């Protein structure tokens, strides 16, 4: 056991929120920490909270306002921690509750807020509630917190519905009764290790409200809500119709779900400082998506429309217009997201012939021109940082890490296995970060002591990541890391950036030019030819050097013009 860096044993010691900035979330830059792959302090090959604490200086220097942590709770890790077995503690491989409290406080002391991940749709099959439900048997009150159901057919051996899992395959698993006979089925929209909770049950609501308070009491500034559109199911267990009318899908985006978030908003608003709700809402209809952001519901939600679009000017422009128009009536700011722990890294995606993103399209061995992808990812970084609203940055994107084609034998992601091995899954964007040095683990884990064998990182890092380490990039003003640091510094300094309005400027085809306030202009060139820049008095930043005064293809410039 090592001694804690600092100790905050109880919630009573929870640090105060910064007072002066009630609207922080409207412009914030939020850095997503995938704890398992960020930094490993104890040399077991798995990232941990002490690893994050030791790198807070790096995050401060990068210029982020908040950290969003993927689930850090005790979990069998059947789905990377989205299978929670205790919502009020920390996974032992990541540390202790005291470590989390210390981390929250130390980050806040640097002006960095903490957002945690709440997983309300399902729990781990190892959670005491589910274990109790299995044990108590059919008809028991313990089972009412879930979706247990007799099977169809004479012997009950057919699934209650034919709903398809978000991870492909079946959504029902049959149980075995305590006496060994085949029993009821239970619903899981994801893996069988993630049984869905029944949100019509008062225990389920009360439990999650208490979990929210538990973490708000410890100083967290917000929650990211996993699978937020899925909580309510049709109690009639209807099949998915061919044409789904709004709100009529049996498991997605049902109108009753909004009551849950209204209740959560009241809890968030009862705390000092602005505590925010950020939704993971995969709802394609922009107006239905925005309904989650009404003033008494969530604060913001991830903008997946923009993230999913290909690198084409008319597509990105249409998405920007669509999302800003959808947000306007509810008064919420949009978010801008290039990736996260579920999707293909931008450097790889933007270098592909088809640069759009969809889970269903993921395949092994999809070629990518990484040099092109890196140019575009740099341009996209500035473009998204210039758009109105808040910005999400997934760890490693500031280093321009590509998606890693991992050998099949190291893959862990259930999306891979449930696709019958066709989908490479999401491990390729979850590879541990390279910090320094010329060989794996690149400073992710501490060097092995004399006579000790070193433990490899939980996923292998490519040998050529020596060029992508933080150390290597700090020494190179042309690096992705420098671009992000400069961009975030300028974004904070120029008050026209962040929250607010934007206006399109006339531009050539294939160019996205818009102004922010009176004095800042963004120009992104997605055309095949260099373009002239509109009037300006200086260039604030550009993702690639200008050529003969022109902005080259696949690059962005930020301009300043006299107000
Ligand atoms: C969305 C999360 O981002 C993803 O990683 C997870 O597998 C599913 N929700 C299920 O919790
Ligand atoms: Mg560790």
């Amino acid at each position: 056991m090592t001694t804690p860096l600092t100790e905050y044993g109880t919630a009573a010691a929870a640090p105060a929120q910064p007072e002066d900035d009630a609207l922080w979330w409207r412009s914030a830059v939020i850095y997503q920490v995938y704890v398992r792959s960020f930094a490993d302090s104890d040399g077991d090959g798995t990232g941990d909270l002490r690893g994050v604490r030791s790198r807070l200086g790096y995050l401060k220097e990068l210029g982020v306002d908040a950290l969003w942590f993927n689930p850090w709770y005790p979990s069998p890790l059947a789905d990377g921690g989205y299978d929670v077995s205790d919502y009020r503690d920390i996974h032992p491989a990541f540390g202790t509750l005291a470590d989390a409290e210390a981390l929250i406080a130390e980050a806040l002391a640097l002006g960095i807020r903490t957002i945690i991940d709440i997983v309300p749709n399902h729990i781990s099959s190892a959670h005491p509630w589910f274990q109790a439900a299995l044990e108590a048997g059919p008809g028991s009150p313990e089972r009412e917190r879930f979706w247990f159901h007799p099977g169809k057919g004479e012997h009950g051996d057919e699934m209650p519905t034919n709903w398809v899992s978000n991870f492909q395959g079946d959504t029902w698993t049959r149980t075995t009764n305590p006496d060994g006979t085949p029993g009821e089925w239970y619903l899981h929209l994801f893996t069988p290790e993630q049984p869905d909770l029944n949100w019509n049950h008062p225990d389920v609501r009360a439990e999650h409200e208490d979990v929210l308070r538990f973490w708000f009491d410890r100083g967290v500034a917000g929650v990211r809500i996993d699978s937020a559109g899925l909580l309510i199911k049709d109690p009639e267990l209807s099949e998915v119709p061919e044409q789904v009318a709004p709100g009529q899908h049996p498991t997605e985006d049902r109108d009753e779900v909004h009551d849950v978030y209204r209740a959560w908003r009241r809890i968030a608003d009862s705390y000092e400082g602005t505590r925010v709700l950020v939704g993971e809402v995969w709802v394609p209809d922009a107006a239905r998506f925005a309904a989650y952001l009404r003033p008494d519901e969530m604060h913001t939600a991830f903008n997946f429309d923009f993230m999913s679009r290909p690198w084409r000017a008319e597509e990105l422009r249409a998405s920007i217009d669509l999302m800003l128009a959808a947000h306007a009536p509810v008064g919420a700011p949009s978010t801008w997201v290039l990736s996260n722990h579920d999707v293909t890294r931008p450097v790889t995606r933007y270098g592909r012939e088809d640069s759009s993103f969809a889970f269903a399209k993921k395949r092994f061995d999809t070629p990518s021109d990484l040099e092109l992808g890196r140019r575009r990812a740099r341009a996209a970084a500035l473009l998204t940082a210039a758009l109105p609203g808040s910005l999400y940055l997934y760890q490693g994107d500031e280093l321009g890490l590509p998606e890693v084609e991992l050998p099949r034998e190291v893959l862990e992601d259930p999306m891979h296995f449930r696709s019958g091995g066709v989908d490479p899954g999401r491990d390729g964007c979850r590879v541990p970060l390279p910090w320094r040095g010329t060989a794996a683990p690149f400073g992710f884990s501490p060097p092995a002591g004399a006579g000790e064998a070193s433990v490899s990182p939980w996923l292998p890092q490519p040998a050529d990541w020596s060029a992508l380490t933080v150390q290597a990039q700090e020494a190179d003003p042309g690096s992705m890391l420098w671009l992000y640091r400069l961009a975030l510094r300028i974004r904070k300094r120029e008050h026209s950036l962040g929250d607010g309005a934007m206006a399109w400027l006339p531009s050539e085809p294939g160019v996205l030019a818009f102004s922010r306030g009176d004095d800042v202009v963004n120009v992104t060139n997605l055309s095949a030819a260099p373009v002239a820049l509109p009037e300006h008095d200086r260039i604030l930043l550009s993702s690639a050097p200008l050529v003969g005064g022109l902005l080259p293809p696949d690059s962005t410039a930020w301009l300043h013009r006299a107000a």
Side-chain angles (χ1 to χ4, degrees), residues 39-48 93:
D40 168 27
S41 72
D42 58 0
D44 64 354
T46 291
D48 45 55

Side-chain angles (χ1 to χ4, degrees), residues 79 82 122 167 190 224 226-227 280 341-342 426 430:
D79 179 20
Y82 285 93
H122 42 268
F167 285 171
F190 296 91
R224 176 265 188 193
D226 185 68
S227 304
E280 189 213 15
H341 64 293
D342 292 331
R426 301 164 296 176
R430 299 175 178 179

